[in-house]
Amino acid sequence: MGEQSRIFLSPPHMGTEEQELVAHAFASNWIAPLGEHVDAFEHEVARYVGTKGALAVSSGTAAIHLGLRLAGVGPGDLVFCSSLTFVASANPILYLGATPVFIDSDEATWNMSEAALARALREANELGQLPKAVVIVHLYGQSADMGPLIALCEQYKVAVVEDAAESLGADYKGRMSGSLGHFGIFSFNGNKIITTSGGGMLVSDDLEALERARFWAMQARERERHYEHVQMGYNYRLSNLLAAVGRGQLRVLEERVAARRRIYQRYAAALQPYAGITFMPESPTGRATRWLTALTVDPEQAGITATQLIDALEKANIEARPVWKPMHRQPLFAGCRYYPHELGYSVSDELYARGVCLPSGSSLGDEQQERVISVIRSCLSGRAKEVGHVHL
Ligand SMILES: *Cc1c(COP(=O)(O)O)cnc(C)c1O
């Protein structure tokens, strides 16, 4: 039997119009105003998510960096940040010379815990050390429960930066994920729900702030013929070619959301019956995209650990991954403060110990998905709560 082709976690999935748009970008290189596709991509993303403006940049990380600088974060400041996330949420805090304080998740959304944030803000206020901003991450395509989180931040007058790198297309009570805070960011990295191979977007209703970020993103070059610089800037603008790809991708975003949700439903229908397997819950506050299908494995009931399951999938040439290792567990952030969901109970640690992300790319075929499911079933065999008909 030959080696079966590799199944990836979340590979890029191009639509039909990207090549044509890129060809247009090539053809118009010398005649169109610079960045015609960049401007259009910004408008289209802003319209889709419902913000007044958007700024296209070279990565989601760059967008977080700019958003935090706009929030006034500087050396010596504190910034609160979700602990259960990719390191890109927190690195820009260090770029600005500030200190992160990590906030746990809740079980219902896997995103920032209201209880932990409330405790952290109350203590910070008592110490006279309120943070300049809170970075709220929306994991795996699901919005955090923004209502109470924003209310807390408003109470203490702290800026909210939404890291919606994984949640483009998700909504929260009828508003798009990433559009509720002062600043929101998206990523178009190769593994995200739509991609430009690399890129990001900063969105906001504060157009004046976006213009300042635009200036910083172009080396903070003053409006002079010669090269005049008063402030420190960055080279963070998105290329026009990549913006053309992004416009094509945006046109198929809704299809991509539907495909990822179908993939989740298929996994859930096949695996929900097994004891010890629990899928990331979908919050009743809005549509999740299921960017990645994530689940937890209870080793006592399932008879296998999350790590063993990932190893078994790897043996079958299938890429699966643990849930993000929390930032408060990272050597990089040793010594940073951390607020668990409840005193003595850390949700993100539980999710990291037991969590698995399954291949969820929108181009995943039915047969490929069956391959994933059958490997998992073989690991769980004999452990079904009930084999047979299942109601979801
Ligand atoms: C991908 C990702 C980012 C960073 O996006 P890049 O475009 O790769 O810089 C930030 N936060 C989270 C949660 C992500 O998953």
Side-chain angles (χ1 to χ4, degrees):
M1 207 176 79
E3 170 106 333
Q4 287 187 295
S5 66
R6 184 154 179 83
I7 297 178
F8 292 98
L9 190 72
S10 181
H13 182 189
M14 286 298 116
T16 54
E17 295 182 53
E18 288 85 348
Q19 284 200 342
E20 204 181 303
L21 286 155
V22 170
H24 176 269
F26 262 95
S28 64
N29 196 20
W30 303 109
I31 45 171
L34 201 68
E36 182 193 351
H37 286 289
V38 173
D39 296 345
F41 189 35
E42 289 175 347
H43 284 127
E44 288 162 8
V45 168
R47 186 166 355 111
Y48 177 78
V49 301
T51 54
K52 287 192 181 143
L55 172 69
V57 290
S58 52
S59 70
T61 311
I64 298 170
H65 188 188
L66 292 167
L68 289 175
R69 189 168 161 190
L70 285 171
V73 175
D77 287 332
L78 294 181
V79 176
F80 290 2
C81 181
S82 302
S83 189
L84 189 66
T85 186
F86 180 47
V87 72
S89 308
N91 269 334
I93 301 169
L94 301 183
Y95 300 169
L96 290 161
T99 303
V101 172
F102 294 108
I103 311 292
D104 199 10
S105 298
D106 64 32
E107 286 136 325
T109 64
W110 292 22
N111 289 313
M112 191 177 279
S113 153
E114 178 193 353
L117 179 64
R119 220 173 335 109
L121 282 170
R122 192 169 59 240
E123 285 189 24
N125 190 41
E126 282 162 10
L127 293 168
Q129 288 182 341
L130 281 170
K132 275 276 164 65
V134 179
V135 179
I136 301 176
V137 183
H138 307 295
L139 280 187
Y140 302 131
Q142 173 153 279
S143 176
D145 190 4
M146 290 301 283
L149 298 177
I150 285 181
L152 279 167
C153 292
E154 279 175 351
Q155 184 187 334
Y156 293 98
K157 300 190 169 43
V158 179
V160 173
V161 176
E162 282 183 84
D163 179 348
E166 302 182 3
S167 67
L168 179 62
D171 79 7
Y172 179 81
K173 300 188 173 173
R175 291 172 67 187
M176 298 310 279
S177 187
S179 72
L180 289 94
H182 296 90
F183 304 104
I185 78 94
F186 300 104
S187 166
F188 309 113
N189 191 40
N191 60 342
K192 298 305 196 294
I193 196 158
I194 60 170
T195 178
T196 59
S197 77
M201 195 73 79
L202 177 68
V203 299
S204 181
D205 287 333
D206 186 343
L207 295 179
E208 186 272 325
L210 287 178
E211 284 318 300
R212 266 188 295 147
R214 190 182 303 278
F215 174 71
W216 293 332
M218 295 188 291
Q219 305 286 18
R221 188 183 159 190
E222 299 290 336
R223 287 178 180 276
E224 301 281 356
R225 180 191 281 159
H226 64 276
Y227 292 87
E228 183 76 11
H229 300 278
V230 180
Q231 298 183 50
M232 182 185 72
Y234 321 95
N235 179 10
Y236 274 174
R237 289 294 271 157
L238 185 69
S239 95
N240 198 44
L241 286 180
L242 298 186
V245 176
R247 293 184 70 198
Q249 287 274 281
L250 198 57
R251 291 174 193 178
V252 292
L253 174 57
E254 284 298 316
E255 288 166 44
R256 300 296 184 257
V257 172
R260 295 212 186 225
R261 287 186 59 86
R262 270 201 307 277
I263 287 163
Y264 158 72
Q265 277 151 6
R266 200 181 177 112
Y267 279 131
L271 301 172
Q272 204 105 274
Y274 288 86
I277 299 293
T278 310
F279 286 83
M280 180 182 184
E282 184 157 348
S283 161
T285 53
R287 176 178 80 165
T289 66
R290 298 287 180 181
W291 169 62
L292 294 185
T293 291
L295 54 80
T296 56
V297 182
D298 175 347
E300 255 133 59
Q301 288 185 58
I304 188 173
T305 65
T307 308
Q308 287 167 335
L309 185 61
I310 293 169
D311 287 342
L313 289 162
E314 190 55 56
K315 265 208 194 103
N317 208 14
I318 295 165
E319 183 187 18
R321 292 275 175 158
V323 160
W324 298 122
K325 180 175 177 178
M327 292 303 111
H328 71 274
R329 292 284 170 208
Q330 301 288 355
L332 173 63
F333 297 115
C336 288
R337 256 187 291 154
Y338 171 61
Y339 287 86
H341 181 53
E342 290 169 20
L343 293 176
Y345 177 55
S346 169
V347 171
S348 59
D349 281 291
E350 277 298 296
L351 294 173
Y352 172 58
R354 296 178 170 207
V356 179
C357 297
L358 297 179
S360 306
S362 46
S363 56
L364 187 74
D366 291 352
E367 274 172 35
Q368 288 180 306
Q369 194 176 356
E370 283 306 321
R371 241 177 82 197
V372 181
I373 288 168
S374 74
V375 171
I376 298 172
R377 276 196 172 129
S378 71
C379 297
L380 303 170
S381 59
R383 299 255 170 192
K385 277 179 268 193
E386 50 169 345
V387 186
H389 299 292
V390 183
H391 288 287
L392 285 178

